[in-house]
Amino acid sequence: MSTGFTLFPAAKKEEYGYGVYDRVITNADLEHWFNTGDDARIPAEPKAVGFVHCVGSRDLKAGNSQCSKVCCITAIKQAMEMKEKFPDAEVYCFYMDLRLFGKKYEDFYINAQRDYGVHFIRGRVSEVSENIAGGVQVKAEDTLSGRPVRVQLDLLVLMAGIVNNPDNESIAGQVRLETDSDGFLKSRDNILSITESPRKGVFLAGACTGPKTVPETVAEARSAALAIHSYLSGLE
Amino acid sequence: MDFGFGFSPSSAADLDKIDLSLYHRMEKVAPDIRTCMGCGSCSATCTGAPFSGMSLRKVILAIQRGKEREAREMLSGCMLCGKCTMVCPRGINTRNLIISLCRYWDSDKREYDFSREVEVKI
Amino acid sequence: MIDRIASGFHPFVLPFMFGMVFVLGYCVYGIIKILCQLPAEDRRRFFISLVTPKTFVKNIWDIFANCLLHVKLWKRNKLLGYMHSSIAFGWFMIILLGHLEVIFFIPDRIHLFYYPIFFNFFVAENEATVGGAVMFFLMDFFLLVILSGIALAIIKRVRSRLFGMRRTTRPSFLDTIGLYSLWAIFPLRLLAESLTADISGGSFLTLSHNWLFRQILIDHTDLMLPTWWAYSIALGVFMTVLPFTRYMHIPAEMMLIPMRNAGLCIRNARRGFARVEVFSCPNCGVCIDACPMSVRKANIKDATVYLNRQIRRNNEKRIEEISDKCLLCGKCTVVCQVGVEGNVMRVAQRATRKYAINQDFACVDVAPMKEKVAGEGNVLYFAGCMTHLTPSIKKATLSVLDKAGVRYKLMDPDGGVCCGRPMLLAGRFDQATELFKRNVEIIKASGCDTLLLSCPICYKMFRDHYGKVLGGVSGAASGSGAGASGAAVPVLDGIRIVHHSEYFAELVAAGRLRPQMTPDTRYVFHDPCELGRGEGIYEQPREVIRSVGTLVEAAKNLQESICCGGSLGSLSLGFDKREPITRNSLANLCVENPDTIVTACPLCQSTFGRYSSVPVKDLSQVLDESLA
């Protein structure tokens, strides 16, 4: 089984104003714009762009306690891309923690700081309001300096997190599998046999068991394929 | 005798020596205090902050580091509006925490004034 | 007619006499104590109201309608209504008729307390006379009425669901004694009067039983005296335990009604008026099913009935837990048959606390805000703390105002001062007043004539307390709690305080807004606690919804709407404990499968939005979307 994930519906975090303010978009919207150049919400010459990490992930209020794993590195990647497109724009990343665990991820982070001059602010954005100029004003606390920060932005990107596929419950029910407390499918063991379900002959791969990066997904897919092969050959 | 100046004590928090009795007391009445991850949402959204510099994140941290005086000052600026409760990603009942802090700051004894006469209209 | 016992006395009346004297003494003591606890001003008001003809008549009528006939209970539940009124009114009639019998037949014995109660033992009247026939018939009739009520009460104890109650209270030990003695009184009376009926007369019930006993017993007169003893003992036990059981509500309610009619309110958490309310609680348990927290079994013991019980026991730890957990939605107050104000009572308990740190708002300087609001525009919009976290409401509200051509200005575009209501609900009145005063300063500096609010929490605060702080027109607000009518919007100090639902309803009615009606969209309206039960605004938001689509109703709505679970009223209820409350409230809203849940409170919207599969919108959004 590889039922994948869904993106957190960013409008659920009402205080960020997705769907209310024109200048608030999600990571998926921005990626779409990178690929097609088609999004009226993105201004021609933005002077300041903000990224909000952990939107709908690590957030009990949004019903998701898990870390989405990919948003930190995606935000840094997208921040650098924005900086490439708009070299004069200031780019801010509002984060709670930066979790850059993958291979070369930390190098990316250094790159973003050193070569692109992306500003990293440790503080979760709590309120977004619209200003007269049509942009948005973001309120957060710079927890490192211990002072509230306020910044006017032309574009705010919400890093919507990975949440479980809402169909998981019904799909799992059909093959008598269980979902975990986070809504993802339950593996036999989260450390040693993540690709195996508690039921014999049912295998799991990718983001159906939790947020995954691409390398992890690929590795799990291979592992699952191998496990299936062993199972069918009766080697187990 | 106070000359208005003096040697400033070291600003380092010596974790071996600081008095954490207040923190431990709070752990009992409002166990939520342990789960703060210091994201700063509460401080950024705080209605009282622009006036008094109230920051619940700082209050919690100050108590954990034994800097009780700073925490006390900030607490007196809380308006109990509940915005911090709404935004906390860890689901901390911040209002309960603040009220408990204000109530049990000096001791964990519950104190009442039953003779108080005031028109209760809500 | 013969006086059967020449001395007019028999030792079996002693248990009854003991109970009667004890309970009367206790009540007199209680009344004096309560009156002493009242502040002098309240005491004076109370005495004046007792002799004012208008309130005097009202008191009599209210006591008759509520204590005896249980009119409110009838409206709520016919079966329960019958059960209670049959016992209460029936008993009253038996006592009254007993006295009439004595006055008619043997007036020189009227000074004896027990004569009307044990009339049939002492007096041998004959049903052959007209007076006897009528009297005995009435006595038997009301005894039958009471017995039917007792039968229902016994059934209710075993199967409360038959009476539409999912949960009832667990009686305490003394309550159980009181209960059983109450149940025993009337069957014993029937037995005693039946066995005596062939000597001192009876009617359809007692005579037929007498005939029956004569058939099956060899000598029924042997049993006569023991049953009179048993009857008297049952009465004596009931009246002796009464002050310590829930049955204390019977005398207490008769005190509560005139005090309420005199306009008294709770001033002290435990004494005076509050004490009368606590004792007036009949422990019926209607508040348990009404309480939104009861969806969690663990919270059943946090209902108002248990608060009253714990206050009687002075169990400070539980009193504190119960008062802190409550959402203050006010539903228990609305459903309460005797009018115990569960929410006010809890805030009163909160107000008794002493704090080591007291908030001080001297640092809150509103001068810059006062400068900003002075300017054009006669409508001042105060978004409030919660609306800042739901920008959709603010944006939609301003958009509607623009479309209606209203000249408005913002009171807190960049954050303001909290209205003070959360502080008030925490029982910290002085601090709340400080915050409130700051806001009043800003409002006055703005020179507006209308204060517009989209948050019912702020709205209730401003509407109920605006006049008082200014020392001007007080009490113009329709009051707190149940029964507040939303008909008249108070104008205080020249400034009209309106909630956006009222204001929009007016704009639509006046034709300044012409929403596009889409009958296919089905909306359900959630009555926010502070707006509905708090201020009696039910119709205006519904009018607005009817102008944009089809309105369907929730299973429980209006006064009985179920709190969303997000309330700021609760101090200690944790985030995870609120989820089942919210889900229960959502299920209640979705019985008619609406397309959209509409509410008029930012806090309700955020709370529902977290778990709802149906879109949740504010009234302003729905209206804004329908405007071209």
Side-chain angles (χ1 to χ4, degrees):
Chain A
M1 303 239 298
S2 47
T3 53
F5 68 93
T6 46
L7 206 59
F8 175 75
K12 272 207 155 190
K13 290 297 296 174
E14 278 197 69
E15 58 265 39
Y16 293 156
Y18 182 70
V20 180
Y21 301 140
D22 292 338
R23 294 294 172 82
V24 180
I25 63 170
T26 65
N27 42 3
D29 296 333
L30 186 64
E31 208 58 41
H32 177 78
W33 178 74
F34 285 147
N35 293 334
T36 62
D38 171 30
D39 195 325
R41 288 172 293 184
I42 295 167
E45 281 297 326
K47 289 203 177 57
V49 179
F51 287 85
V52 184
H53 293 230
C54 302
V55 175
S57 28
R58 299 182 70 199
D59 187 351
L60 284 177
K61 292 283 161 62
N64 307 304
S65 57
Q66 78 277 4
C67 165
S68 294
K69 277 184 169 183
V70 298
C71 326
C72 282
I73 187 67
T74 312
I76 291 175
K77 185 220 103 173
Q78 292 188 336
M80 294 194 317
E81 266 185 274
M82 284 308 266
K83 200 74 183 165
E84 267 174 18
K85 284 197 191 302
F86 309 109
D88 297 332
E90 296 293 343
V91 176
Y92 303 91
C93 282
F94 295 92
Y95 68 96
M96 292 199 279
D97 293 297
L98 283 175
R99 299 188 163 174
L100 301 161
F101 49 86
K103 190 171 164 67
K104 294 278 181 189
Y105 283 11
E106 192 66 19
D107 294 356
F108 242 75
Y109 179 23
I110 298 172
N111 256 359
Q113 288 180 299
R114 185 184 56 205
D115 304 335
Y116 291 87
V118 175
H119 305 287
F120 288 90
I121 297 172
R122 195 202 172 269
R124 189 165 169 270
V125 171
S126 68
E127 265 177 61
V128 178
S129 53
E130 211 164 29
N131 59 25
I132 308 153
V136 287
Q137 175 184 267
V138 164
K139 265 166 100 179
E141 192 199 18
D142 179 2
T143 59
L144 297 181
S145 71
R147 288 161 61 89
V149 288
R150 212 169 259 221
V151 59
Q152 312 290 331
L153 300 172
D154 297 318
L155 186 68
L156 185 69
V157 186
L158 307 179
M159 304 309 293
I162 288 178
V163 296
N164 62 291
N165 185 338
D167 297 332
N168 271 358
E169 195 82 40
S170 65
I171 296 170
Q174 285 167 24
V175 285
R176 276 187 288 149
L177 285 184
E178 272 178 70
T179 52
D180 218 333
S181 58
D182 55 8
F184 289 97
L185 294 177
K186 215 174 190 165
S187 294
R188 195 153 67 82
D189 186 282
N190 280 338
I191 296 165
L192 292 177
S193 36
I194 191 110
T195 56
E196 284 167 42
S197 78
R199 255 170 77 82
K200 246 185 154 52
V202 181
F203 297 86
L204 311 164
C208 64
T209 56
K212 297 279 153 66
T213 60
V214 174
E216 281 174 328
T217 307
V218 172
E220 272 185 24
R222 288 196 172 132
S223 155
L226 210 59
I228 292 167
H229 176 74
S230 308
Y231 174 74
L232 291 177
S233 320
L235 291 175
E236 216 176 326
Chain B
M1 199 172 287
D2 182 15
F3 293 104
F5 61 90
F7 296 107
S8 63
S10 163
S11 59
D14 187 344
L15 293 182
D16 299 326
K17 286 183 188 155
I18 52 177
D19 173 21
L20 289 180
S21 55
L22 174 63
Y23 180 65
H24 294 318
R25 196 155 65 234
M26 278 311 123
E27 282 180 308
K28 278 191 210 115
V29 286
D32 286 4
I33 194 172
R34 291 175 173 170
T35 50
C36 174
M37 59 173 162
C39 70
S41 304
C42 48
S43 322
T45 200
C46 180
T47 308
F51 307 103
S52 61
M54 165 66 181
S55 161
L56 185 58
R57 179 190 69 82
K58 278 200 227 172
V59 168
I60 294 174
L61 201 63
I63 293 169
Q64 287 171 339
R65 299 288 179 270
K67 294 180 183 174
E68 296 184 1
R69 205 173 53 87
E70 289 169 34
R72 192 184 174 119
E73 272 167 27
M74 279 190 274
L75 280 172
S76 68
C78 170
M79 298 180 179
L80 279 187
C81 72
K83 276 174 91 181
C84 45
T85 310
M86 299 293 291
V87 297
C88 178
R90 281 284 170 92
I92 297 177
N93 190 347
T94 53
R95 293 174 78 230
N96 185 43
L97 177 58
I98 293 169
I99 291 173
S100 305
L101 280 169
C102 292
R103 186 127 188 255
Y104 303 115
W105 191 266
D106 295 328
S107 83
D108 53 5
K109 247 189 92 190
R110 288 195 293 264
E111 305 239 17
Y112 302 96
D113 174 12
F114 289 121
S115 62
R116 192 169 179 211
E117 296 281 341
V118 59
E119 191 181 353
V120 185
K121 269 211 166 135
I122 63 163
Chain C
M1 177 203 349
I2 324 145
D3 213 349
R4 275 185 63 226
I5 316 286
S7 65
F9 175 79
H10 192 281
F12 84 80
V13 303
L14 286 175
F16 161 77
M17 282 308 286
F18 174 79
M20 195 66 207
V21 169
F22 177 73
V23 79
L24 281 180
Y26 188 90
C27 287
V28 170
Y29 164 74
I31 290 171
I32 293 172
K33 196 173 158 193
I34 296 283
L35 287 176
C36 290
Q37 286 174 351
L38 286 179
E41 179 204 343
D42 276 7
R43 198 163 41 233
R44 222 191 60 224
R45 258 170 95 177
F46 179 60
F47 286 138
I48 291 174
S49 88
L50 284 184
V51 293
T52 311
K54 201 179 149 197
T55 40
F56 178 78
V57 173
K58 190 170 161 47
N59 286 342
I60 300 289
W61 168 245
D62 282 355
I63 289 175
F64 195 73
N66 289 328
C67 302
L68 296 179
L69 297 181
H70 291 82
V71 172
K72 264 180 97 177
L73 194 57
W74 272 96
K75 282 181 196 155
R76 185 164 185 84
N77 183 327
K78 299 249 172 340
L79 208 53
L80 276 179
Y82 176 75
M83 183 187 114
H84 284 88
S85 55
S86 63
I87 299 174
F89 184 65
W91 201 354
F92 171 75
M93 284 310 286
I94 281 196
I95 296 170
L96 184 72
L97 290 169
H99 281 82
L100 290 179
E101 277 179 337
V102 179
I103 293 169
F104 286 158
F105 299 129
I106 188 156
D108 51 325
R109 296 285 194 195
I110 191 67
H111 62 280
L112 292 171
F113 244 3
Y114 51 85
Y115 242 65
I117 312 298
F118 305 111
F119 183 82
N120 284 27
F121 180 85
F122 289 107
V123 182
E125 168 64 17
N126 198 322
E127 69 275 8
T129 62
V130 178
V134 172
M135 274 300 179
F136 288 162
F137 171 78
L138 284 175
M139 285 299 249
D140 271 17
F141 173 75
F142 283 111
L143 186 60
L144 186 64
V145 168
I146 299 177
L147 286 170
S148 67
I150 298 280
L152 286 174
I154 294 171
I155 296 169
K156 174 175 163 268
R157 242 325 112 192
V158 187
R159 287 202 178 266
S160 59
R161 265 175 194 274
L162 291 176
F163 291 75
M165 289 177 80
R166 295 206 300 150
R167 309 181 195 87
T168 56
T169 38
R170 280 182 53 139
S172 66
F173 173 69
L174 279 176
D175 279 347
T176 319
I177 293 183
L179 182 77
Y180 289 145
S181 54
L182 177 64
W183 285 358
I185 289 171
F186 299 99
L188 285 172
R189 183 186 169 109
L190 173 67
L191 218 56
E193 289 196 336
S194 306
L195 289 166
T196 327
D198 54 343
I199 304 169
S200 45
S203 187
F204 66 97
L205 193 66
T206 37
L207 279 178
S208 57
H209 277 75
N210 184 271
W211 178 83
L212 198 71
F213 290 135
R214 272 183 296 160
Q215 301 306 308
I216 52 173
L217 297 171
I218 300 156
D219 187 4
H220 68 281
T221 46
D222 281 354
L223 278 171
M224 208 169 82
L225 204 56
T227 50
W228 281 105
W229 266 101
Y231 172 48
S232 170
I233 289 171
L235 277 168
V237 168
F238 178 70
M239 284 192 278
T240 311
V241 297
L242 184 134
F244 316 106
T245 63
R246 60 202 186 110
Y247 299 104
M248 189 60 199
H249 81 89
I250 302 167
E253 201 188 344
M254 287 193 263
M255 179 90 177
L256 178 66
I257 289 171
M259 282 176 106
R260 194 169 43 221
N261 287 345
L264 305 194
C265 72
I266 297 180
R267 282 179 188 277
N268 184 295
R270 305 288 164 82
R271 298 187 298 188
F273 192 71
R275 190 129 206 104
V276 182
E277 278 200 10
V278 166
F279 279 99
S280 298
C281 170
N283 282 231
C284 64
V286 172
C287 51
I288 301 178
D289 277 343
C291 181
M293 287 198 298
S294 297
V295 286
R296 285 184 75 240
K297 230 180 165 179
N299 288 132
I300 287 178
K301 291 249 166 177
D302 298 316
T304 302
V305 48
Y306 290 105
L307 174 70
N308 292 331
R309 195 180 277 186
Q310 299 301 350
I311 291 179
R312 285 180 73 167
R313 289 178 187 169
N314 287 321
N315 182 346
E316 293 305 335
K317 188 161 174 274
R318 282 291 293 142
I319 294 171
E320 182 153 337
E321 272 174 23
I322 297 175
S323 7
D324 279 5
K325 221 176 270 178
C326 173
L327 297 155
L328 299 181
C329 72
K331 193 165 167 183
C332 54
T333 306
V334 167
V335 299
C336 183
Q337 300 307 311
V338 295
V340 175
E341 304 158 288
N343 49 350
V344 185
M345 189 76 83
R346 282 176 173 88
V347 175
Q349 306 307 321
R350 293 176 184 183
T352 60
R353 316 253 166 90
K354 278 191 185 167
Y355 290 85
I357 301 175
N358 285 298
Q359 267 75 21
D360 172 21
F361 300 114
C363 58
V364 179
D365 177 22
V366 292
M369 294 176 172
K370 279 158 79 174
E371 267 171 44
K372 269 190 199 165
V373 290
E376 291 287 294
N378 55 347
V379 173
L380 186 65
Y381 174 60
F382 182 62
C385 304
M386 285 301 151
T387 312
H388 285 124
L389 293 176
T390 49
S392 49
I393 297 180
K394 189 176 166 188
K395 198 171 174 181
T397 304
L398 298 185
S399 164
V400 171
L401 292 180
D402 282 333
K403 286 169 186 169
V406 175
R407 285 167 60 235
Y408 64 86
K409 51 192 172 183
L410 306 176
M411 181 166 154
D412 54 346
D414 233 8
V417 179
C418 175
C419 66
R421 187 153 176 80
M423 202 54 112
L424 179 97
L425 295 180
R428 313 196 70 181
F429 304 142
D430 301 338
Q431 285 89 346
T433 311
E434 276 307 304
L435 290 174
F436 190 71
K437 274 183 185 160
R438 299 283 192 291
N439 278 307
V440 171
E441 269 184 54
I442 304 174
I443 296 166
K444 293 199 92 180
S446 76
C448 67
D449 56 24
T450 305
L451 176 65
L452 177 67
L453 304 132
S454 50
C455 174
I457 304 168
C458 312
Y459 172 64
K460 183 156 172 56
M461 188 70 184
F462 283 113
R463 203 162 115 150
D464 285 1
H465 299 273
Y466 195 95
K468 212 180 297 164
V469 170
L470 291 174
V473 205
S474 105
S478 45
S480 62
S485 87
V489 178
V491 180
L492 298 166
D493 205 42
I495 296 169
R496 186 169 174 245
I497 295 158
V498 285
H499 185 250
H500 73 353
S501 57
E502 292 172 90
Y503 198 62
F504 292 162
E506 280 168 26
L507 290 176
V508 171
R512 287 177 68 182
L513 290 172
R514 296 184 189 284
Q516 192 74 43
M517 166 84 175
T518 44
D520 295 344
T521 322
R522 291 151 57 83
Y523 298 101
V524 68
F525 181 68
H526 166 73
D527 291 290
C529 306
E530 305 274 49
L531 192 66
R533 278 186 290 267
E535 287 296 335
I537 299 218
Y538 298 108
E539 211 25 60
Q540 293 91 326
R542 287 183 167 76
E543 276 167 26
V544 175
I545 294 175
R546 281 192 210 103
S547 73
V548 298
T550 306
L551 176 73
V552 295
E553 288 294 345
K556 298 245 181 209
N557 59 356
L558 307 172
Q559 280 219 320
E560 304 227 353
S561 131
I562 303 174
C563 173
C564 69
S567 169
L568 286 173
S570 174
L571 303 177
S572 63
L573 203 63
F575 173 68
D576 50 328
K577 311 270 190 315
R578 293 173 185 245
E579 181 178 340
I581 301 172
T582 310
R583 291 198 184 275
N584 175 50
S585 182
L586 278 169
N588 170 61
L589 286 170
C590 292
V591 285
E592 297 265 7
N593 294 317
D595 300 311
T596 302
I597 295 171
V598 185
T599 181
C601 169
L603 192 49
C604 296
Q605 195 193 0
S606 308
T607 311
F608 284 139
R610 223 168 267 151
Y611 307 112
S612 177
S613 50
V614 181
V616 184
K617 285 181 185 166
D618 187 77
L619 190 71
S620 58
Q621 284 171 276
V622 173
L623 180 62
D624 188 40
E625 283 164 15
S626 72
L627 296 166

